[in-house]
Amino acid sequence: MYLTNWELSLVSISPVLSRSCEPCRRSKLRCDHVVPTCGRCIKRRCADQCIYHPSPLTQNRRKGGKAPSIPLTPTTGEDLGDAVQSIETPNAEPPSCLTPQSLLLRSAEVVTREIHRAASAPPLQLRDEYTSHTGRQGFLGETSYISIFEDGLGCSGISNPDLESSPVQKVRLSHDRIAQGCKVLSFLRDNSMLIRLVSRWYEICEDEGCICIEPIMKEWLWGLWPHHGDVLRDQNPEKIRRLCELIWRNTQAPVSFNENTTVTQWARSSTGPNLRWEVVGLIAAIAGQCANTPEPSNRYSKTHKFAHPSFPRQMLEISEACLSFCRECEVLGDMFVWLLMENYCLTGKIKGESGHATYTQNGEIVTAVIAMGLHQGVKAEDRLPFFLSEIRKRLFAQTYSAEIGESTFLGRPPRLSHRYCDFQPPLDLSVSELVLEGDELALALAGLDDQGFNTAGRIHRVTWIKTWLGFAPQREDILDIAIGKYTREEILHRAEIIERRNEQHLEGLPPFIKKIRDGPLETEGRTPTEIMFMVVIRQSFRANDLLLQRVLIRKADASSEKLIYTARSILKDILLMSQRYDLGTLFQADIASLLAVQGLRSAGVIAVELLKQEQLPVYPKEPLLPRSQTIQDLAIFAARLGAIDPTDGSYSICDQGRKVITHILDRILSPPNASDPVQVPAPREPPAQQHAHQVSSQPNSNVLANEPGQSCGWYIPGAIDPAMADLNFGMEAPFLGPDNDFMQWLENMDWERPF
């Protein structure tokens, strides 16, 4: 059962139905009182006649004796409007104004109102056995069975018949499903709190959520409470059940649109009388993300004056319940994937990006976008309106980037590869520009450069998506050589290709993006959201360099100087970002994620290398890591990790990383006793001979040149020598291994054992 631990008040539904349906009553047979169709009527194949009349002995006699039935799916928007109107104003017309058409509507009202079951009836099971197994198939590629028929018919000059699957039989609503839906709808009672949460979230994100933009969400909210406000506020069991059934019907019907559909028309097709479970789930997911962000006025607390601390998890439960309803309806559309994406973001904030739940949800997003054919790009024959075409491009770019980023962090094979995708970078338009039409849209498009970037130097979410999409394929290739089986020569060759493609992508970027990568971060006059995305873009460049160097060290015996240089640059930026109060209050979960991923990765490299540097028999005159500054940076970083809120999803990783760094600093600052010295094996070769096998070690040089390296005048035992690869100074830490090795070591580390 969903939503068992809510602190919100739930609807108590306990009506009693003692009447049988009309066919069973007339046949004088026992009825099981199941709605909307009893089991006996299903077996007798007269489901269209199965209704529960409130006063069977006083009903109007109709020709043929058949009472009207209510369909599971509405036929027109007008019918939906009448149904919703009847929920709040059932007696809108006086009895004297009744017509044959109104009699049918009133009879339909009676059927809808009596959606319940007798308390004495036997336990009701879900009616899944009556649901068709032939659902929406989605994208079918070149090797699918349909392509064989299409190719053959096309070559023969025969018109292509309808090869789609048979229509899906609609889901029959059981008592349990309606009850669950009523519980979900109870959270919409406090509309003022939800509106405030949603408005504040879009104010923080500058009109952009993870994928759902503010103009569409506003239309959904504006259409929700004017139509259903009284029902949602009063939570009348009878009316809330009727509203729940209406939402189920709407969700089963696809949303209609064409290339001329405006953003307002598209949004209004899913709210008001057309309200869907996807919209309800998106409202909950957005509100949960905002509730997980602390108020600026209270720096040390996540508790809102208008939301309980457990509110984000409650919104996550509601969002997941709405997803389960959509899956049962076999929904596959834009709003469903939007809900998957927003729910994934909320889950990552609450449970962490390395958790199994987050990983599984990301996989479902990948599956959904492939089923929609988004990996093949947006095509003209799709007849999409401009705003929806651009949002689909953003959606696929985010899906691919999230999959590659998470696969790299966990060291797992990606479930989506650039080798089978047609990338279409989205245009760098703001949300207000995205929803423009006609001449205004043409003017906004004229303000973009040849690559589709804005010419004003703005940094928004789509700017980051567009920039990162060019580097994500290189990240995937780095992961490929890290977990694949290649020879040393193949690794060096592939690494050279990766670096060349990175440089080519960098050359095509506008100057203001290049400045973010190479120069200091200029935050003057920038909003906190812009600063946050500037930091993320900067780290995307350097993370690829760091990961590539780790692979080259492990598999190609490269030098570690460039790795250390990159790690120090990353750690410096992370420390500067984490000390900003404006970022810490608005993007607490995002900063915790950066500390856990980028920060811990670079700090781990620096801490291990500093420990090795400290244990050298002869301390170098010009060390690569300045001792005092490095110890200070690591101590500050450990303190930042210790300040993460225990309720944050990244807390576990940050806490483990803090313990590792603290132990390493203790080891450095508290040398072992003279009676128990640390044994460091002597070098197997003189430094001159060892350098002959090293790759170039200058930070800006080619690590694949196979030329004698230019060192800093000192030699690090174990950095190159294979015999020293397991030198971990009693901590048994994997030497510069992939993230999954490091995370597994963190989890298995015995913190109570002395070194």
Side-chain angles (χ1 to χ4, degrees):
M1 189 65 121
Y2 295 97
L3 319 174
T4 56
N5 297 321
W6 281 15
E7 295 184 8
L8 303 172
S9 60
L10 302 181
V11 180
S12 176
I13 304 174
S14 58
V16 177
L17 178 64
S18 58
R19 295 173 294 276
S20 299
C21 69
E22 287 298 287
C24 292
R25 185 186 66 82
R26 291 169 181 169
S27 302
K28 297 183 179 181
L29 298 174
R30 182 173 181 177
C31 180
D32 60 8
H33 308 284
V34 173
V35 292
T37 307
C38 71
R40 190 176 297 277
C41 288
I42 291 176
K43 293 179 181 179
R44 299 174 65 187
R45 297 182 180 180
C46 59
D48 57 333
Q49 304 176 27
C50 184
I51 63 170
Y52 296 87
H53 200 283
S55 300
L57 299 180
T58 60
Q59 61 179 314
N60 293 330
R61 298 293 181 180
R62 294 182 178 84
K63 187 177 180 179
K66 293 184 179 181
S69 62
I70 186 168
L72 281 178
T73 55
T75 55
T76 63
E78 290 77 6
D79 295 337
L80 286 175
D82 293 338
V84 177
Q85 182 75 12
S86 67
I87 290 176
E88 301 188 10
T89 57
N91 298 321
E93 293 183 357
S96 59
C97 299
L98 290 178
T99 63
Q101 290 77 12
S102 63
L103 281 174
L104 291 177
L105 288 177
R106 291 292 300 276
S107 299
E109 286 179 29
V110 171
V111 176
T112 307
R113 184 167 57 250
E114 295 297 332
I115 297 296
H116 46 59
R117 188 167 184 270
S120 61
L124 178 63
Q125 303 295 330
L126 290 180
R127 308 293 291 278
D128 295 339
E129 63 269 23
Y130 301 117
T131 303
S132 171
H133 296 283
T134 306
R136 298 183 178 91
Q137 297 171 318
F139 173 80
L140 297 174
E142 294 295 332
T143 60
S144 66
Y145 64 93
I146 282 185
S147 66
I148 300 175
F149 291 100
E150 290 178 341
D151 294 342
L153 294 175
C155 296
S156 304
I158 304 175
S159 59
N160 187 9
D162 184 12
L163 295 175
E164 297 293 333
S165 59
S166 58
V168 181
Q169 183 179 345
K170 300 303 180 181
V171 177
R172 297 185 181 275
L173 303 181
S174 67
H175 173 82
D176 291 342
R177 268 316 196 203
I178 295 178
Q180 291 168 3
C182 292
K183 292 180 181 180
V184 168
L185 293 179
S186 66
F187 93 98
L188 294 172
R189 173 186 301 173
D190 192 350
N191 64 325
S192 60
M193 182 186 68
L194 292 174
I195 291 176
R196 184 177 176 184
L197 283 168
V198 172
S199 300
R200 180 173 177 264
W201 180 248
Y202 283 110
E203 181 182 354
I204 294 172
C205 300
E206 299 182 358
D207 300 342
E208 287 187 278
C210 185
I211 191 63
C212 183
I213 59 177
E214 185 186 30
I216 293 178
M217 178 58 70
K218 278 186 175 180
E219 289 292 337
W220 287 341
L221 295 178
W222 288 341
L224 175 61
W225 279 286
H227 283 83
H228 311 296
D230 293 341
V231 176
L232 295 172
R233 182 176 55 255
D234 299 338
Q235 293 290 307
N236 180 276
E238 178 183 344
K239 293 182 179 181
I240 205 73
R241 288 169 69 88
R242 294 169 60 192
L243 175 58
C244 177
E245 186 181 71
L246 176 68
I247 299 175
W248 274 97
R249 295 171 180 170
N250 292 338
T251 306
Q252 296 178 58
V255 178
S256 300
F257 56 85
N258 54 43
E259 65 273 17
N260 299 319
T261 303
T262 65
V263 63
T264 302
Q265 294 171 342
W266 189 84
R268 290 179 180 175
S269 66
S270 304
T271 188
N274 305 309
L275 184 62
R276 304 170 64 93
W277 284 124
E278 300 101 308
V279 175
V280 176
L282 282 166
I283 294 174
I286 296 294
Q289 292 181 65
C290 181
N292 199 56
T293 304
E295 285 278 15
S297 59
N298 192 348
R299 182 174 182 178
Y300 302 101
S301 175
K302 280 185 151 185
T303 305
H304 295 270
K305 293 177 288 186
F306 51 89
H308 194 273
S310 62
F311 188 80
R313 291 188 177 272
Q314 294 171 359
M315 294 299 100
L316 179 62
E317 291 178 349
I318 293 172
S319 176
E320 291 178 345
C322 291
L323 278 174
S324 71
F325 297 161
C326 295
R327 295 187 191 103
E328 188 167 342
C329 294
E330 299 190 8
V331 173
L332 182 61
D334 293 278
M335 283 181 288
F336 174 67
V337 187
W338 291 15
L339 178 55
L340 286 174
M341 180 64 75
E342 296 288 357
N343 184 73
Y344 165 77
C345 295
L346 179 58
T347 303
K349 293 177 183 295
I350 294 177
K351 299 183 179 180
E353 297 183 356
S354 62
H356 180 70
T358 310
Y359 182 75
T360 303
Q361 290 181 12
N362 194 21
E364 186 175 5
I365 299 174
V366 171
T367 303
V369 298
I370 292 178
M372 290 182 64
L374 301 187
H375 64 297
Q376 294 295 307
V378 177
K379 299 178 174 58
E381 54 266 26
D382 295 335
R383 300 184 61 195
L384 299 175
F386 175 78
F387 76 92
L388 191 56
S389 173
E390 286 299 309
I391 292 179
R392 284 192 176 186
K393 294 176 184 178
R394 298 183 184 190
L395 174 63
F396 178 73
Q398 285 189 228
T399 301
Y400 175 73
S401 300
E403 173 62 22
I404 297 304
E406 189 166 5
S407 297
T408 305
F409 182 65
L410 299 176
R412 299 174 181 174
R415 293 164 291 194
L416 185 63
S417 175
H418 68 84
R419 296 169 178 83
Y420 314 112
C421 299
D422 181 11
F423 290 117
Q424 294 178 340
L427 298 176
D428 190 8
L429 296 171
S430 65
V431 172
S432 59
E433 295 171 334
L434 187 64
V435 299
L436 294 176
E437 302 174 17
D439 295 338
E440 293 179 335
L441 177 60
L443 184 62
L445 295 175
L448 304 177
D449 63 12
D450 295 338
Q451 300 296 324
F453 284 94
N454 72 85
T455 55
R458 302 187 309 266
I459 307 294
H460 296 309
R461 186 180 191 90
V462 66
T463 312
W464 160 67
I465 294 173
K466 188 176 179 65
T467 304
W468 171 233
L469 188 60
F471 286 100
Q474 279 69 55
R475 175 74 65 87
E476 180 188 343
D477 291 338
I478 294 173
L479 178 62
D480 178 55
I481 62 176
I483 63 179
K485 298 180 179 180
Y486 298 102
T487 64
R488 182 177 184 275
E489 290 73 19
E490 290 174 333
I491 291 174
L492 294 176
H493 176 68
R494 290 174 180 268
E496 185 177 2
I497 295 176
I498 292 172
E499 290 189 330
R500 184 168 62 249
R501 288 177 178 173
N502 273 338
E503 292 300 324
Q504 291 174 354
H505 177 60
L506 180 62
E507 289 299 321
L509 295 175
F512 73 95
I513 298 294
K514 295 180 182 178
K515 195 173 183 179
I516 294 175
R517 177 186 184 267
D518 300 325
L521 288 177
E522 298 180 356
T523 60
E524 187 68 26
R526 299 280 189 179
T527 64
T529 303
E530 285 187 288
I531 297 173
M532 189 67 189
F533 283 125
M534 290 172 67
V535 172
V536 173
I537 290 174
R538 188 183 182 99
Q539 297 310 313
S540 299
F541 288 99
R542 294 177 174 176
N544 275 14
D545 295 336
L546 185 141
L547 291 171
L548 181 59
Q549 292 305 311
R550 293 179 67 187
V551 174
L552 292 175
I553 289 174
R554 285 176 57 86
K555 293 192 171 184
D557 297 334
S559 174
S560 62
E561 279 81 356
K562 187 174 182 179
L563 173 72
I564 297 174
Y565 174 84
T566 305
R568 291 186 63 192
S569 300
I570 294 175
L571 184 61
K572 180 181 178 180
D573 286 345
I574 295 296
L575 292 177
L576 290 175
M577 177 203 63
S578 62
Q579 70 184 14
R580 291 186 61 105
Y581 172 71
D582 54 348
L583 299 182
T585 54
L586 295 178
F587 305 105
Q588 191 175 78
D590 299 277
I591 289 182
S593 178
L594 283 174
L595 290 173
V597 180
Q598 306 289 359
L600 189 56
R601 180 189 289 155
S602 58
V605 170
I606 294 174
V608 172
E609 288 300 319
L610 179 63
L611 182 60
K612 294 184 177 186
Q613 179 176 292
E614 290 294 312
Q615 301 294 345
L616 288 174
V618 179
Y619 201 82
K621 295 181 180 180
E622 297 180 0
L624 189 60
L625 290 172
R627 188 177 191 273
S628 176
Q629 185 62 47
T630 304
I631 291 176
Q632 293 179 55
D633 291 343
L634 291 176
I636 294 174
F637 181 74
R640 297 280 192 272
L641 294 178
I644 299 299
D645 194 306
T647 62
D648 194 283
S650 302
Y651 172 77
S652 177
I653 297 177
C654 292
D655 187 58
Q656 292 175 345
R658 179 189 60 81
K659 292 178 180 179
V660 173
I661 295 175
T662 301
H663 278 289
I664 292 178
L665 290 177
D666 289 343
R667 185 63 180 266
I668 293 174
L669 298 176
S670 302
N673 297 328
S675 59
D676 188 21
V678 177
Q679 299 296 329
V680 179
R684 297 168 61 95
E685 299 179 4
Q689 298 180 12
Q690 183 68 30
H691 287 170
H693 300 290
Q694 293 184 10
V695 187
S696 177
S697 62
Q698 292 298 325
N700 296 324
S701 62
N702 185 359
V703 299
L704 309 172
N706 287 331
E707 296 178 355
Q710 302 295 324
S711 67
C712 298
W714 54 280
Y715 170 65
I716 303 179
I720 307 300
D721 193 346
M724 302 294 291
D726 296 327
L727 182 61
N728 299 308
F729 304 97
M731 294 186 64
E732 298 157 359
F735 175 69
L736 301 174
D739 286 335
N740 60 321
D741 292 346
F742 182 62
M743 295 307 304
Q744 185 177 5
W745 171 67
L746 284 177
E747 295 178 358
N748 298 328
M749 182 69 178
D750 185 6
W751 302 108
E752 303 300 327
R753 178 177 62 85
F755 292 131

